[in-house]
Amino acid sequence: MPEKIIKSADRVKDIGEVFTPKKIVNLMLDQPEITEKINVLNSTFLEPSAGEGAFLVELLKRKLQVAKEKSNGIEEMQNNFLLALSTLYGIELMQDNVEMLVINMVNTFRDVYFNTFSHEDQNQKVLKSANVIISANMAQGNALTRKTNTGEPIIFSEWKPLPKGKVQRTEYTFDSIVEGGNATGTVQSEFEQLDLFAEPDENDPKEADNKNYAACLWEDIYKKKIE
Ligand SMILES: C[S@@+](CC[C@H](N)C(=O)[O-])C[C@H]1O[C@@H](n2cnc3c(N)ncnc32)[C@H](O)[C@@H]1O
């Protein structure tokens, strides 16, 4: 079946939606400077107009291959699979595209995972944590205004590897990352700043998100434990 690269003429006109064919994606990712980055396990990629994931899905396949090659032992490889996944970020405007983007990332991770690890080494916690990483890293919103479709700031998580197979998750606004991301751009510190001027409102979904994640094992990310 030929690849579908447009959904409708209106969408091409309104939002410039034309999906990149696999062959072109591969040609672009084969560029030496890109390959060099892919080979560094913790190098990050952001696709600000992600569509259904033409680039992110192929990047994920390539990064998982690197994780396989660079790991010693099953446990390290499983951690490195999650690390590789955590380095890929996407923003996409259209809800139907984001849904397909998430499905495509989940299915790609699972396919490679099941083809890599034997039945007895497969760990449901890793798969559940992969789903949490994907939903945190794939944002629906406008990359130009840096806001979601409900006007909230787009938020991304940093997944920082720690010794002993652990990871520290920290949330930043996309705004602060673009403007040179530093500690003042963490979601936590923004809300602390707001608290100086307003009573905390527990019904405000932003207040509910006011949290610091506890450092945890990669496979425990799905528990979303708060400090
Ligand atoms: C040319 S397509 C490319 C999609 C994908 N990168 C690919 O290569 O198949 C552009 C995509 O950007 C999305 N888009 C358009 N304006 C956007 C914006 N301001 N912020 C985020 N995504 C946007 C469209 O919905 C569309 O899916």
Side-chain angles (χ1 to χ4, degrees):
M1 216 188 352
E3 280 182 89
K4 203 175 98 189
I5 61 165
I6 61 170
K7 285 185 171 173
S8 76
D10 277 349
R11 287 174 67 125
V12 176
K13 189 160 126 277
D14 295 342
I15 51 167
E17 184 188 77
V18 179
F19 299 129
T20 311
K22 269 204 176 77
K23 200 173 157 192
I24 308 288
V25 170
N26 281 318
L27 274 174
M28 290 173 73
L29 296 185
D30 284 344
Q31 298 305 302
E33 315 82 65
I34 308 282
T35 305
E36 205 179 302
K37 277 211 82 184
I38 292 170
N39 285 333
V40 179
L41 212 46
N42 64 353
S43 64
T44 52
F45 288 81
L46 166 68
E47 160 61 292
S49 52
E52 296 183 347
F55 285 93
L56 287 168
V57 162
E58 185 54 36
L59 279 168
L60 178 57
K61 288 182 188 161
R62 292 178 183 216
K63 278 219 150 201
L64 292 176
Q65 184 55 39
V66 175
K68 268 194 217 182
E69 289 160 9
K70 295 207 167 175
S71 304
N72 291 310
I74 304 291
E75 201 181 308
E76 187 179 298
M77 201 183 292
Q78 305 227 17
N79 289 345
N80 280 340
F81 262 44
L82 291 175
L83 167 61
L85 176 67
S86 77
T87 62
L88 304 176
Y89 296 86
I91 303 174
E92 167 56 45
L93 193 62
M94 304 296 284
Q95 189 175 339
D96 58 344
N97 288 347
V98 181
E99 284 167 7
M100 281 312 298
L101 169 66
V102 168
I103 290 171
N104 289 335
M105 293 296 279
V106 168
N107 287 344
T108 302
F109 187 89
R110 293 177 80 88
D111 282 353
V112 181
Y113 187 84
F114 290 134
N115 281 323
T116 303
F117 298 101
S118 67
H119 191 67
E120 59 268 24
D121 289 330
Q122 289 168 16
N123 178 352
Q124 287 305 314
K125 289 171 152 195
V126 171
L127 294 172
K128 285 203 269 183
S129 293
N131 290 351
V132 169
I133 293 171
I134 292 168
S135 63
N137 284 18
M138 303 298 133
Q140 187 185 351
N142 186 325
L144 299 175
T145 61
R146 304 171 192 165
K147 296 212 158 61
T148 67
N149 56 350
T150 53
E152 304 293 326
I154 292 175
I155 289 166
F156 281 127
S157 290
E158 174 192 45
W159 310 91
K160 191 170 169 197
L162 300 175
K164 300 190 178 160
K166 288 191 162 187
V167 55
Q168 175 68 60
R169 174 180 184 179
T170 309
E171 290 183 321
Y172 291 85
T173 62
F174 180 47
D175 230 356
S176 75
I177 297 167
V178 174
E179 301 302 335
N182 54 41
T184 60
T186 61
V187 172
Q188 174 71 12
S189 66
E190 280 203 3
F191 289 123
E192 273 165 6
Q193 214 175 343
L194 282 179
D195 281 350
L196 294 174
F197 304 101
E199 288 296 314
D201 175 1
E202 280 163 16
N203 297 322
D204 183 340
K206 284 181 292 184
E207 296 290 346
D209 281 349
N210 182 4
K211 61 197 171 206
N212 279 332
Y213 289 98
C216 68
L217 295 174
W218 281 94
E219 65 177 32
D220 287 335
I221 283 173
Y222 77 96
K223 293 179 182 166
K224 300 183 184 171
K225 210 164 158 231
I226 305 302
E227 264 178 350

